[in-house]
Amino acid sequence: MSTPYHIYPCGDHAVTIELGDGINAAVNQNVISLFQYLTEHKIEGMKDMIPAYNTLTIVYDTSLLKKKNPGIPVYETISAHLQKAAGLANEKNAARARLIKIPVCYDPSLAPDLVSLAETHQLSVDEVVKLHTARTYRVYMIGFLPGFAYMGSVDEKIITPRKTQPRTMVPAGSVGIAGEQTGIYPFDSPGGWQLIGQTFTQMFDEKKETPCYLQPGDEVQFYPVSIAEFEKGKNT
Amino acid sequence: MSLHIIKHGLLDLVQDAGRYGYQHLGINPGGVMDSIAMHVANILVGNDPSEAVLEMHFPAAEIEFEETLLIALAGADLSASVDAKEIPVLTPVIIQKGSVLHFGRKQNGARIYLAACGGFAAEEWLGSFSTHTKVKAGGFEGRALQKNDRINLKEKQQPVLSADQTAKIFPWRANVSDMYREHSFRFIPGNEYWSLDETSKHKLAKETFVISRENDRMGYRLGGVSLQMTATTELISTAVARGTMQLLPDGQLIILMADHQTTGGYPRVGHIITADISSLAQMQAGEKFSLEQVTLADAENLLLKQQMDLQQLQNACNFRLQEYLQR
């Protein structure tokens, strides 16, 4: 990995490595490569990894490592390992990107912001749907809620800021846009994204070994379904 | 063998040391707010330090013991009693079958922990017994305890107990006073600390902060002091951790606690050190404190010191418990 990077503490039990600036597929690819590399080459004392747009954060067990080597600063040890791993990780580690197709019903009855969003951009509803389904999106990161995938980037013609007044309840399965990002609410939750559709695909199932449908680094494509297909899918 | 909830409290949850290894999926670790209290309550009854415990808030649950059990309370002091007999915190107590544990007036702290010898037969989800209320998994049916719930104990050999009275209080008490702080918490600067303006950096070090009413297991919003960045830069979401102090757009700080989100986009001006998180977990709305900046090396050493103290306490507990239970 030749990208310049910067490592900093995120408290006394986590360290972050920043691999570039902004929301950028190439930078995020490096984040995912490093995440995959460290999944296979675990650092002793590592408890968690949090990939984000341009950063990877490692959460570690300070007590365990400090008890083992009281004289050595834990942060120094972990960041040295991280620095080394960043040098070794490469795109081969992220070759496992999956393409996942997700059905979305864009019927206005399930998409409370679709009409106003189309009007804002002087587009028809059909044009918005076409633009939203035309692209393959990258899952940059998962955060906010268990299984909430931040995907991007949407066509610039439909980039729309979050709602000024977030809703107190957004139904699970709602597909939204926030800025250049698009995402799916895995749970009923408060939220401020512009809601343009709904999927019946269950984004989170706590009974599964991997409870989240999407993972960082996945490629996602949406395809439109009718309200009848949506209802049918929801009931199966 | 079970504990019968006669009356539930404000928020009674089964928690352990937390669920790690899933933050890349947005699954926050959760776990107890006050890990020292969990640790101490467990070692007082001879459990593993991170065995699942009951975390209760004020008012706490009323609990009937359907079996004679060795328990210990730690954390807040909510005036526990059994049949009008006062039950001290930080002390092993044998409670006889059929007795009812009540809690009364709040003496201090925000959360009390109950550990039972042998541990609770809680539900495991992704390697942890912690209750994840959003996902509704882990702990006790993934939710807070309700009236008439029965929480079972593991089918494990209970030590030979003798309780000729309703409650038998062991004649010793764990001393944890050195592990908790009350009026000042230590922090290390966060990545965006350097973007605070000079006045704000000064305020952070000198002013008094107050815990606002908006405080829960996700985080504590602070009042009393308003801070500013030199420039408003749009940050993109990145990881946050327990203890992270985020600066909200209104200039107030929020300190992230056990149920925090895994990522966030607000400036991280600092991080409360792990050694002081348990103390913070016992703070209540309206209580005041100041902040003291330390280095990362200090933070690590302070945590090590605390862990060594807990280890020492555990050794002493094991020794005394053995001696006492054999009698």
Side-chain angles (χ1 to χ4, degrees), chain A residues 28-155:
Chain A
N28 186 251
Q29 188 57 43
N30 289 338
V31 172
I32 302 302
S33 299
L34 182 54
F35 168 68
Q36 299 288 9
Y37 178 84
L38 287 169
T39 304
E40 286 156 25
H41 305 84
K42 291 200 164 54
I43 296 175
E44 190 195 5
M46 183 166 82
K47 293 170 82 178
D48 251 322
M49 279 190 280
I50 312 170
Y53 286 104
N54 61 336
T55 58
L56 180 73
T57 298
I58 289 180
V59 179
Y60 53 86
D61 190 335
T62 307
S63 317
L64 178 95
L65 296 165
K66 197 68 191 168
K67 274 188 212 161
K68 214 166 165 182
N69 282 307
I72 300 172
V74 176
Y75 173 76
E76 303 297 335
T77 311
I78 296 277
S79 49
H81 280 296
L82 187 55
Q83 187 142 13
K84 195 173 151 214
L88 295 169
N90 58 54
E91 302 223 346
K92 262 183 258 160
N93 296 103
R96 290 187 270 152
R98 312 176 294 173
L99 175 66
I100 293 171
K101 297 193 174 183
I102 296 178
V104 178
C105 177
Y106 294 92
D107 190 278
S109 65
L110 299 169
D113 300 319
L114 182 57
V115 173
S116 62
L117 186 143
E119 279 169 5
T120 307
H121 298 291
Q122 295 175 317
L123 296 166
S124 70
V125 163
D126 283 351
E127 284 170 316
V128 174
V129 173
K130 278 210 181 81
L131 289 168
H132 192 245
T133 51
R135 286 197 176 182
T136 298
Y137 301 107
R138 156 181 282 272
V139 175
Y140 279 96
M141 57 179 274
I142 296 183
F144 171 48
L145 290 169
F148 188 102
Y150 287 82
M151 295 174 264
S153 296
V154 300
D155 190 292

Side-chain angles (χ1 to χ4, degrees), chain B residues 204-222:
Chain B
L204 202 58
K206 298 276 178 238
E207 303 257 341
T208 301
F209 293 82
V210 58
I211 307 274
S212 80
R213 294 206 162 273
E214 290 169 79
N215 70 85
D216 58 20
R217 283 184 43 92
M218 282 179 74
Y220 286 6
R221 281 189 76 142
L222 307 183

Side-chain angles (χ1 to χ4, degrees), chain A residues 8 11-13 22 35 47-51 54-55 57 66 73-75 141-144 146-147 188 204 206, chain B residues 20-26 125 134-135 188 191 236-239 242 261 263 268 271 273-274 296 300-301 303:
Chain A
Y8 59 87
D12 59 9
H13 59 289
F35 168 68
K47 293 170 82 178
D48 251 322
M49 279 190 280
I50 312 170
N54 61 336
T55 58
T57 298
K66 197 68 191 168
V74 176
Y75 173 76
M141 57 179 274
I142 296 183
F144 171 48
D188 290 351
F204 192 91
E206 78 279 3
Chain B
Y20 286 90
Y22 300 91
Q23 287 199 70
H24 63 289
L25 299 177
W125 182 57
K134 185 84 204 169
V135 171
I188 60 168
N191 199 46
I236 56 172
S237 284
T238 181
R242 187 177 302 203
Q261 292 178 12
T263 58
R268 296 153 298 175
H271 306 269
I273 68 170
T274 304
L296 185 50
E300 291 184 3
N301 288 324
L303 183 63

Side-chain angles (χ1 to χ4, degrees), chain B residues 74-116:
Chain B
D77 187 344
L78 305 183
S79 316
S81 65
V82 168
D83 294 342
K85 182 173 185 173
E86 212 175 290
I87 304 294
V89 291
L90 302 168
T91 301
V93 182
I94 296 170
I95 296 187
Q96 203 181 26
K97 183 175 176 173
S99 305
V100 176
L101 178 67
H102 294 267
F103 294 91
R105 210 163 61 81
K106 180 160 31 173
Q107 305 284 350
N108 59 59
R111 297 173 171 84
I112 189 163
Y113 294 82
L114 188 159

Side-chain angles (χ1 to χ4, degrees), chain A residues 166-186:
Chain A
R167 287 186 169 85
T168 51
M169 218 288 285
V170 172
S174 294
V175 176
I177 287 180
E180 61 185 274
Q181 308 164 108
T182 183
I184 308 167
Y185 285 84

